[in-house]
Every structure is written in structure tokens, then in C-alpha cells.
Amino acid sequence: MAKAELTFKDIGKTVSAPTGTRVIEHSEKAGSGIVYGCREGDCGTCIMDVVEGWENLSQTSIVEDRVLREQHAGRHQRLACQAQILGGKIVVKPA
């Protein structure tokens, strides 16, 4: 399985993440400050800033788009529970 390099800027930690996994899975294990409440893409607590590697994450779903709009999220913000890793290098931090 292909791997990506996922860096949590808030704690300065980089992990090797299999493609197809979601950012929140690795955030928990790494101890990042990205928090979550549901894992279903409906609550918006896990909004993160994508500092680098936007193109290395899956496209947003209809549900994620709606939640991001409701939360007035910025252009390079995603829900960690919904963003799937595609490969390459990704740098994120809590919003």
C-alpha cells in the first residue's frame, strides 16, 4: 500500500500514512490538537487548516462542503474526519 508523509504542524510531528486513510485517524495517534466529535462529517469540530499538500487529499463531498459553508470555513480548510490521504506530502494544523 502506498504511503504519504503527513505532518501535524501544531506538534511538529510527521507520520507515514497509508493512502486511503483519513487524517483524523492519524491525528488521534500522533496527539495533534485536531479535535473531533462525530467522525461522520456532520458536526464541524475537526476543521483543520491544510498548510501544504491540498492536492494530496480527496475532493470534498457534498456533506463536507455543506458543513464547511455552515462553519464559514476558509479556502484551505477541511474536515479531518472526511479528508482522505491520496499520497505525497501533507501538512495540517488545527483551525
Side-chain angles (χ1 to χ4, degrees):
M1 179 178 280
K3 302 262 184 177
E5 184 179 289
L6 176 60
T7 300
F8 296 98
K9 193 171 182 177
D10 61 320
I11 59 172
K13 187 171 187 177
T14 300
V15 298
S16 178
T19 58
T21 57
R22 297 182 192 277
V23 173
I24 198 68
E25 297 171 41
H26 305 286
S27 174
E28 286 179 295
K29 293 175 188 171
S32 172
I34 298 172
V35 297
Y36 67 95
C38 69
R39 288 185 177 257
E40 300 296 324
D42 197 28
C43 69
T45 60
C46 66
I47 292 177
M48 63 180 178
D49 291 325
V50 181
V51 178
E52 185 180 329
W54 180 265
E55 68 282 359
N56 295 324
L57 295 172
S58 61
Q59 292 186 355
T60 57
S61 67
I62 293 169
V63 172
E64 184 179 6
D65 279 336
R66 178 183 51 80
V67 172
L68 290 171
R69 278 193 315 273
E70 288 171 356
Q71 298 293 323
H72 306 289
R75 182 174 178 201
H76 289 287
Q77 292 184 320
R78 293 288 307 270
L79 297 179
C81 71
Q82 296 297 295
Q84 284 187 327
I85 297 164
L86 301 177
K89 182 178 179 183
I90 304 160
V91 179
V92 298
K93 66 179 185 175

